[in-house]
Amino acid sequence: QVQLVESGGALVQPGGSLRLSCAASGTIFSINAMGWYRQAPGKQRDLVARISSGGSTSYADSVKGRFTISRDNAQNTVYLQMNSLKPEDTAVYYCNARVATARGPYEYIYWGQGTQVTVSS
């Protein structure tokens, strides 16, 4: 019913910047929280940043001051601006969204397929 598509991943040098985008489409009544997660090889998938429907944000300690999450509710899109990138930021980045597809009490969490971010000299 709902699809999330990430874009913007690339190979960048340390200290560089990237902006990731994730657009939701399909049967959407409303979107509550949206977030970004990342997973490096051999590691668990960890929360990077999240943003509520009202714009409140939270970040992992490892990215505070460097990453900024934002959203455009009119476009059903969430962004992750990544500055001062470090090699340890290398991972597949996934977006997710808590979505209501109709009026009522039900919400579902949807995930994108991921986009690769590689930070290397």
Side-chain angles (χ1 to χ4, degrees), residues 34 36 47-52 55-60 63-64 69:
M34 304 184 79
W36 287 95
L47 175 67
V48 175
R50 61 170 290 163
I51 184 167
S52 73
S56 297
T57 60
S58 61
Y59 299 90
V63 306
K64 285 182 179 178
I69 188 170

Side-chain angles (χ1 to χ4, degrees), residues 62-76:
S62 59
V63 306
K64 285 182 179 178
R66 299 187 298 120
F67 291 10
T68 302
I69 188 170
S70 61
R71 63 192 289 172
D72 184 341
N73 291 332
Q75 299 296 321
N76 292 329

Side-chain angles (χ1 to χ4, degrees), residues 26-86:
T27 305
I28 299 172
F29 179 76
S30 64
I31 301 178
N32 195 351
M34 304 184 79
W36 287 95
Y37 292 71
R38 66 187 181 187
Q39 187 169 22
K43 303 292 185 179
Q44 68 178 18
R45 186 176 299 185
D46 293 326
L47 175 67
V48 175
R50 61 170 290 163
I51 184 167
S52 73
S53 60
S56 297
T57 60
S58 61
Y59 299 90
D61 288 342
S62 59
V63 306
K64 285 182 179 178
R66 299 187 298 120
F67 291 10
T68 302
I69 188 170
S70 61
R71 63 192 289 172
D72 184 341
N73 291 332
Q75 299 296 321
N76 292 329
T77 300
V78 62
Y79 304 95
L80 186 68
Q81 178 66 47
M82 305 185 294
N83 299 324
S84 301
L85 283 162
K86 304 174 181 179

Side-chain angles (χ1 to χ4, degrees), residues 101-115:
T101 59
R103 286 186 179 273
Y106 303 108
E107 293 185 337
Y108 301 90
I109 297 176
Y110 292 88
W111 291 88
Q113 292 300 118
T115 185

